[in-house]
Amino acid sequence: MLRDILLIYGMLAVYYVMTVNLIYFSILACSFRSIMTVFRRAAFSKYNTLSGSELVPSVSLLVPAYNEEVTIIENVKCLLTLNYPTYEVIVINDGSPDNTLGVLCKEFELEPMESPGLRNAIDCEQVKAVYHNPKYPHLYVIDKPNGGKADSLNAGINLSHYPLISSIDADSLLEKDALIRMARMYMENPEETVAIGGDVRIANGCVIENGQVKSFSLPRKMWPMFQAVEYLKAFLGGRIGWSSINGLIIVSGAFGMFRKDYVIAVGGYRGGYPGEDMNIIIKLHRYMLENKLPYKVAFCPEAVCWTQAPDTYHILSNQRKRWGRGNLKNMLENYDMAFNPKYKVMGLLTMPYNIIFEALNPYFKLTGLIALIGYAMLDMTHWKILAVFWAVNFVSGYLFSIGAFVLEELAFKRFNRLADLCKMLGFAALKFFGYSQLGALWRVQGHIQYLRNNNSWGAMTRQSWKEESKPAKQA
Amino acid sequence: MPHTITAAEEHEDHLHHAEDKLRKSPGARFGLMYIYAANAPSYLESQIVSLLETKGDADFEVWRDSETGCLAVMLPGLALDQVHFRGLLLKQQLQERISDLHPHITLASFPEQGEPDEEVFRQMANLSRTSLSEDIHIFTKVETEHSAPGRILVVDNDAGMREFLQIRLRMHGYETREAEDGLAALELIETWQPDLVLTELNLYGIDGLPYIHQIRQLKVKEPPKIVVLTEQRVEQTISRCFEYGVNDYMTKPFSPVELDARIRRCFY
């Protein structure tokens, strides 16, 4: 009996692994198919001319800030110097107990506005005041009671004056051309593009001066290095491919651009849980498909945002648990989309993939391990078979990493030192011994947090906000 | 007395000649002529020397200005009307001897027309070279004051653009410095005190409009003129810039000739 169960499980596991690898490599193939287009449009577009043109749509940058008094001034100054014709920067102070608002007002000599002209397009916490200084015509600061990141973004949308919005984390750094590159992509198809995601890269180890990444090099510490490999795989290997079949499920909260009218149509950002960046994209997919509107959620790998990755185990594990929690919540909320042909690629591929191969992945790993012990105890297997199985798994995963590096080298050529490339390849291999397993563990812990804290979300969210702001301070 | 300079001496800066002379007898009157011809034959210099010798000038001196390719003639003791007459005569005789010669002449007499200094000499040489009319140009004192070339600070993100602008402006005799970003520019304006700032709006470090505003607020003796040269073509930004008091606004891609003209106008 036990043998039968184990046998069936073994077969299932083999098919599971085969399917997941098949999906990985199909997506990677899609990425490869579109990478030369990415390269050409990055190399041959005249961004300089575009960045002064009156025809480029205006954008409101929304920057939620919670306890950012140390870094906010520099970040805002950097955001105010983007190469872009018309845009505004809206900083939303989410009831920070520190002096975030104070330092902003002092540096930019901001005064409360008499009539800020807030619309009530989306519900959010009552805004206390909007600060502005005519000397800095493109800067607004909203002060409101604490309500979480999503609530801050909603408040920002209510104030924003322009048709496009872009959400940016207060602890990340935009390249000067990042916004115009995204806008160029939007202008290719302004009717159908509802959201565009940017490429997020790890800034640890880079030299940053005056809001500019002066020289690029890899992180020196172990944790950011693993994340650098991970981000490269996810963004270049994964998201380019997913966006080419219009199945992108997430636009990074660190840097994304949206059409404001549709964000308002789906009710804005959802508060209360982490993972609001994935949530808004799922809602957009759902809304557009249910209303049978043609649409596209695009990914713009040439628009780069640099972020400081957590460099200690504690902060990293907290971040990943939070992601696991948010991810599970989003999947539970939208499970009905899975396997529903009405939702096209989203329903037939993206959602099933994310539920079975992302959210449930750690459980397969865990049961696999238990089954392995079972096989060994019942003498059903041979170490050679296990070795082959493991080797196949390792090689396919490693090939995927290499694929991502090749994509990077084809389009962007950022690694111009052999040592950097070797380091990347080394860490891509090391990832399989420990880091991947930790990732599964964090996800399970996130799920447990979700189940435990089902009724105390408010407190959780505030706490997670604090966690998020920690790396910014250390940066 | 040698009337021409030997080849070895030609390497020396022409200005030293005039200035050496001035130092020996400060305040002494002398006339100065700069002659430029686009297709000048190599024997032009010897022609001029022989013509002047036949006129019986005692103490003249001729040398070649290596920077502009002009020939300079120094005539001690002559007042402006005398220099002018000598110039007319010289031009006529040269054209008789060398067919198809179109000399452009700028002349002056000092100290009647102001304090002679290095900058004035360079200006005169440049005027001869760039002048479009074949009439003899009298370098006047008023001109000396106004066309004294200014200091221009070039601010742009792009190193290639900065280099191009600097080379071009220096050709026109302006003194230039460069800054890569807004903060460095603000610092330089305070310490170096340029007469004009030629700047891009999209800079690292500081947002374009506050940056312009800040230049206006700087505590310098004479606030610099501002010419914006930028990719930014949004009407609202342009009008804001003029509200903040910029003197001119040009968008890239730009015509260098137009830029020259607009900058020149700022100095008049």
Side-chain angles (χ1 to χ4, degrees), chain A residues 170-233:
Chain A
D171 61 341
S172 43
L173 175 86
L174 286 198
E175 278 189 3
K176 220 165 152 57
D177 273 346
L179 205 58
I180 192 70
R181 283 167 191 254
M182 260 192 187
R184 191 208 63 84
M185 187 174 234
Y186 171 77
M187 286 165 77
E188 264 180 15
N189 194 349
E191 274 302 305
E192 293 182 8
T193 310
V194 292
I196 304 176
D199 190 6
V200 178
R201 280 163 188 271
I202 306 291
N204 302 42
C206 297
V207 181
I208 295 169
E209 223 173 80
N210 248 344
Q212 183 186 12
V213 176
K214 286 268 181 188
S215 75
F216 168 75
S217 66
L218 289 170
R220 277 174 292 277
K221 287 185 181 164
M222 178 180 75
W223 296 114
M225 196 54 219
F226 278 126
Q227 292 173 77
V229 175
E230 212 177 12
Y231 276 48
L232 202 66
K233 270 173 86 171

Side-chain angles (χ1 to χ4, degrees), chain A residues 422-436:
Chain A
C422 293
K423 198 174 169 190
M424 275 310 248
L425 288 171
F427 271 86
L430 272 180
K431 228 166 81 76
F432 291 94
F433 305 93
Y435 186 76
S436 301

Side-chain angles (χ1 to χ4, degrees), chain A residues 150 249 266-284 286-287 290 324-338 340 343 346 351-352 354-355 359 447 450-451 454 457:
Chain A
I249 196 174
V266 301
Y269 287 88
R270 172 212 57 190
Y273 306 89
E276 77 294 325
D277 45 359
M278 182 188 273
N279 182 263
I280 189 88
I281 296 298
I282 299 178
K283 280 199 292 192
L284 282 170
R286 186 191 279 275
Y287 178 86
E290 280 174 1
R325 212 164 66 217
N327 185 293
L328 184 65
K329 171 71 185 170
N330 286 328
M331 292 305 133
L332 290 178
E333 244 177 23
N334 297 287
Y335 71 92
D336 61 305
M337 285 174 85
N340 188 340
Y343 297 107
M346 196 62 192
M351 286 306 286
N354 273 281
I355 293 175
H447 292 178
Y450 175 83
L451 297 173
N454 223 344
W457 284 114

Side-chain angles (χ1 to χ4, degrees), chain B residues 39-52:
Chain B
N39 49 354
S42 54
Y43 53 86
L44 180 66
E45 192 170 330
S46 55
Q47 286 289 343
I48 293 171
V49 173
S50 74
L51 278 170
L52 289 172

Side-chain angles (χ1 to χ4, degrees), chain A residues 292-349:
Chain A
K292 297 204 166 44
L293 297 163
Y295 76 103
K296 186 143 180 54
V297 174
F299 175 65
C300 185
E302 64 266 36
V304 176
C305 158
W306 296 88
T307 190
Q308 290 286 347
D311 57 0
T312 63
Y313 176 86
H314 178 71
I315 297 171
L316 179 64
S317 66
N318 277 333
Q319 183 197 41
R320 293 306 154 101
K321 285 176 205 165
R322 195 170 62 242
W323 287 3
R325 212 164 66 217
N327 185 293
L328 184 65
K329 171 71 185 170
N330 286 328
M331 292 305 133
L332 290 178
E333 244 177 23
N334 297 287
Y335 71 92
D336 61 305
M337 285 174 85
F339 301 109
N340 188 340
K342 196 174 93 178
Y343 297 107
K344 298 190 181 158
V345 178
M346 196 62 192
L348 295 180
L349 190 62

Side-chain angles (χ1 to χ4, degrees), chain A residues 71-146:
Chain A
T71 52
I72 192 75
I73 297 297
E74 202 167 326
N75 286 323
V76 169
K77 277 187 174 169
C78 165
L79 285 176
L80 283 169
T81 61
L82 298 178
N83 264 350
Y84 202 83
T86 315
Y87 69 101
E88 62 184 359
V89 176
I90 301 177
V91 181
I92 306 108
N93 175 36
D94 190 26
S96 313
D98 75 348
N99 199 20
T100 304
L101 183 68
V103 293
L104 277 169
C105 288
K106 183 161 169 267
E107 174 68 28
F108 298 102
E109 297 158 25
L110 301 168
E111 300 285 339
M113 286 173 86
E114 295 270 311
S115 49
L118 278 163
R119 279 167 294 277
N120 288 317
I122 307 169
D123 287 340
C124 66
E125 293 275 343
Q126 187 60 43
V127 168
K128 282 196 249 174
V130 178
Y131 295 84
H132 184 65
N133 176 0
K135 219 176 100 186
Y136 295 87
H138 308 310
L139 176 67
Y140 296 88
V141 175
I142 296 178
D143 186 33
K144 68 183 240 334
N146 185 276

Side-chain angles (χ1 to χ4, degrees), chain A residues 49 52 54 83 135 176 210, chain B residues 181 202-204 213 231 233:
Chain A
T49 309
E54 193 121 26
N83 264 350
K135 219 176 100 186
K176 220 165 152 57
N210 248 344
Chain B
D181 61 64
N202 289 336
L203 296 166
Y204 279 104
H213 192 71
E231 303 274 1
R233 286 184 300 279

Side-chain angles (χ1 to χ4, degrees), chain B residues 180-253:
Chain B
E180 190 183 1
D181 61 64
L183 301 175
L186 287 171
E187 221 166 87
L188 256 179
I189 292 170
E190 250 177 332
T191 55
W192 189 55
Q193 308 223 342
D195 303 307
L196 187 142
V197 183
L198 178 61
T199 183
E200 166 66 77
L201 279 185
N202 289 336
L203 296 166
Y204 279 104
I206 183 164
D207 183 13
L209 289 173
Y211 161 68
I212 297 290
H213 192 71
Q214 220 148 311
I215 296 179
R216 283 268 164 263
Q217 305 292 308
L218 283 178
K219 290 195 172 40
V220 287
K221 238 191 285 158
E222 214 162 299
K225 300 195 169 65
I226 303 173
V227 174
V228 178
L229 175 65
T230 179
E231 303 274 1
Q232 181 69 256
R233 286 184 300 279
V234 176
E235 300 280 309
Q236 212 192 346
T237 312
I238 301 179
S239 74
R240 270 276 166 70
C241 276
F242 279 114
E243 272 171 38
Y244 283 156
V246 305
N247 295 68
D248 216 331
Y249 194 106
M250 278 184 76
T251 56
K252 294 178 193 168

